[in-house]
Amino acid sequence: MHILVIGSGGREHALVYALNKSPSVGKIYAAPGNGGINKIAIKAEIDIKDFSQIADFCTSHHIGLVIIGPEDPLVAGMADFLTKAGIKTFGPSAAAAKIEGSKQFMKDCAKKYQLNTAQYANFNDPVAAKNYVYEKGAPIVIKTDGLAAGKGVIMAQTETEAYQAIDEMFEGRFGESGKKIVIEEFLYGEEASFFAICDGQNAIAFGSAQDHKAVGEGDTGPNTGGMGTYAPAPVVTDVIHQQIMDTIINPFIKGMADDGNPYVGVLFAGVMIKDGEAKLLEFNVRFGDPECQVLMARLDCDILPILLAACDKKLDEVTITFKKDTALCVVMASKGYPGSYEKDTEIKNLEVAELLPDTIIYHAGTKYQGNRLLATGGRVLGVTALGKDVAAAQKKAYQAVDLIDWNNGFCRRDIGWRAVERLKK
Ligand code: AMP
Ligand code: GLY
C-alpha cells in the first residue's frame, strides 16, 4: 500500500521511519517532509493548504492511506475532505478536532462526559472573567480559546497577573479567537502525555511519555514546542494508566460517539497526576512532538495495521506491543530558539552519530543541499536512544549528541532528570 504523510516535523519523521519498516508499505510520499524524511520518502510536490490538490495526488498515485501529522490541517477539515473524496485518512474530522481547536469546547465536552478535569468557566467578556478571578483567587490559569502554538496559556500566580492576561487576551493579543477564554483551577502535580488510538467506538492505549517544555535546564525559561522526551512515563503506573483509560479516554470516546461526532485518530491527553489521581489538562488531536519520536522508537509491531484498523473501525482486532526498553529523545535546536535564530547553518558528523547502537536521529527543521545538511528551523534534530532504563537511554542519547558537529545548535543536558532521579530512589 502506498502512503502519504502530511507534515514536516520530527513527529512525521518518526512516523515515516516506522512505516518504512512495515512489510505492507509500498511507496511513502511526504508533503512537504524535511531532510531526513525525504531520504526515505518521496517528496510530494503539492500545496498542503489545497485539499483538492492533495485528493488529486492521492488518486493519481494510488495512495491507500493518508496520515495527517499536525493539528492545523485537522482543525481545518483535511480529514473530512479526503474521506469524502473516498481516500482513507488517519486523523479526526474537523468537528472532532475542535477539542484541540477550541479550549471552551474541550472543557464543555469534559464536563458533559464527566471526565476528571480541572474546574473551569468560559468567558466571552473581560468584566465577568475578572469577577470570576476575584472570587476564586490565584494561582489560576487563563487560556485563550483557539490554537495559539502553546503560547495562549497563562499560569497567573497573582490576581493582578490574571487581570493583565485577561486584558491582553480581550485586547486581541491572540486575534479574534483569543477574545474567548477559559479560566481554570490551577492543578499541582506531575505532568504526563498519554496516547490512545481511536476508531470512533473503541480506544486502545498507545503508551505514555513525558516531555520538557521549557527551553532551559531545570525546566526554566520560556516554553518551547518540547526540548526532549522519554517513554514510558514512570509516573503513569499501571494503576494510573487504567484510571486514565476509565475516567478520561473511554468516556470521551463514548460521549463523542453518542453525540454523533465519533473520534477517529490519535488522542493525546495531557494529564496532571497527584496523589494517585490523574486529571485532564488538555486534549490534542495528534501525536505529540517530540513524544511521537520516543513512542515510535519503542513500538515493537507493525504500525500500519494499527492505523488502518482505526480507519476501518476494527481496533478491537489489533494488539499493540512495545519494547521493554525506555526511549529518550534529546532535541537539538538552533541557538536563539524559541526566539529568533540563524537559518541554513551546517550540521556535520550526523552519519557518525547515527552509527551508534540503539540510536535514531529524527530530523525536524532540516534540509539537504547536495550532501550538506542544513538547519532550517528552531527545533532541528531529535536524537533518540533506547536503553534498559531511562538512565541508560539518557547516556546513549547524549553520546550521540556529543558526536554531532553543529556550532549553531544547542540542547538541554538534563532531559529525563526527573525519571532518572526516581530511578535512583
Ligand atoms: P494546555 O495547552 O492547556 O495543555 O496548557 C499548556 C501547559 O500549561 C500544560 O502542558 C501545563 O503544563 C500547563 N497547564 C495548563 N493548564 C493547567 C492547569 N489547570 N494547572 C496547571 N498547569 C496547567
Ligand atoms: N510536546 C507537546 C506537544 O506536542 O503538544
Side-chain angles (χ1 to χ4, degrees), residues 304-324:
L304 183 65
I306 302 168
L307 303 181
L308 288 175
C311 299
D312 296 338
K313 301 189 177 55
K314 287 185 181 163
L315 263 187
D316 48 338
E317 294 175 16
V318 302
T319 47
I320 300 177
T321 49
F322 286 101
K323 293 174 186 154
K324 287 227 158 13

Side-chain angles (χ1 to χ4, degrees), residues 211 213 225-226 268 284 286-291:
D211 80 343
K213 288 196 167 79
F268 165 174
N284 296 312
R286 50 175 173 82
F287 282 108
D289 188 344
E291 285 94 331

Side-chain angles (χ1 to χ4, degrees), residues 103 141 143 153 155 184-185 187 191 213 281-282:
K103 290 195 191 288
V141 183
K143 300 183 176 186
V153 174
M155 274 160 318
E184 178 174 287
E185 168 197 3
L187 295 180
E191 204 174 332
K213 288 196 167 79
L281 285 172
E282 62 165 343

Side-chain angles (χ1 to χ4, degrees), residues 66-229:
V66 178
I67 301 161
I68 303 172
E71 62 276 20
D72 289 324
L74 291 164
V75 171
M78 188 188 282
D80 308 67
F81 189 96
L82 297 178
T83 306
K84 213 176 262 175
I87 298 154
K88 196 169 284 186
T89 304
F90 181 80
S93 66
K98 201 174 163 193
I99 54 151
E100 180 166 357
S102 162
K103 290 195 191 288
Q104 290 194 346
F105 177 71
M106 180 256 147
K107 294 299 290 191
D108 289 343
C109 285
K111 186 175 182 184
K112 184 169 179 197
Y113 308 146
Q114 296 180 305
L115 315 184
N116 196 359
T117 188
Q119 284 187 9
Y120 78 106
N122 292 336
F123 295 96
N124 298 333
D125 89 86
V127 177
K130 286 182 187 169
N131 284 339
Y132 185 78
V133 169
Y134 182 75
E135 190 187 308
K136 294 285 174 187
I140 196 157
V141 183
I142 320 288
K143 300 183 176 186
T144 185
D145 180 60
L147 293 177
K151 296 185 183 74
V153 174
I154 308 294
M155 274 160 318
Q157 298 303 324
T158 62
E159 282 90 357
T160 312
E161 261 181 70
Y163 299 146
Q164 258 168 15
I166 292 167
D167 279 336
E168 282 185 17
M169 285 178 189
F170 283 100
E171 278 158 15
R173 179 166 165 210
F174 297 101
E176 272 316 298
S177 78
K179 296 185 182 177
K180 293 196 281 182
I181 66 169
V182 174
I183 303 185
E184 178 174 287
E185 168 197 3
F186 188 97
L187 295 180
Y188 295 91
E190 188 171 341
E191 204 174 332
S193 307
F194 189 90
F195 299 86
I197 307 284
C198 311
D199 70 3
Q201 300 293 329
N202 300 295
I204 180 164
F206 201 79
S208 63
Q210 277 177 292
D211 80 343
H212 294 269
K213 288 196 167 79
V215 72
E217 271 142 36
D219 297 318
T220 54
N223 269 358
T224 69
M227 292 301 291
T229 37

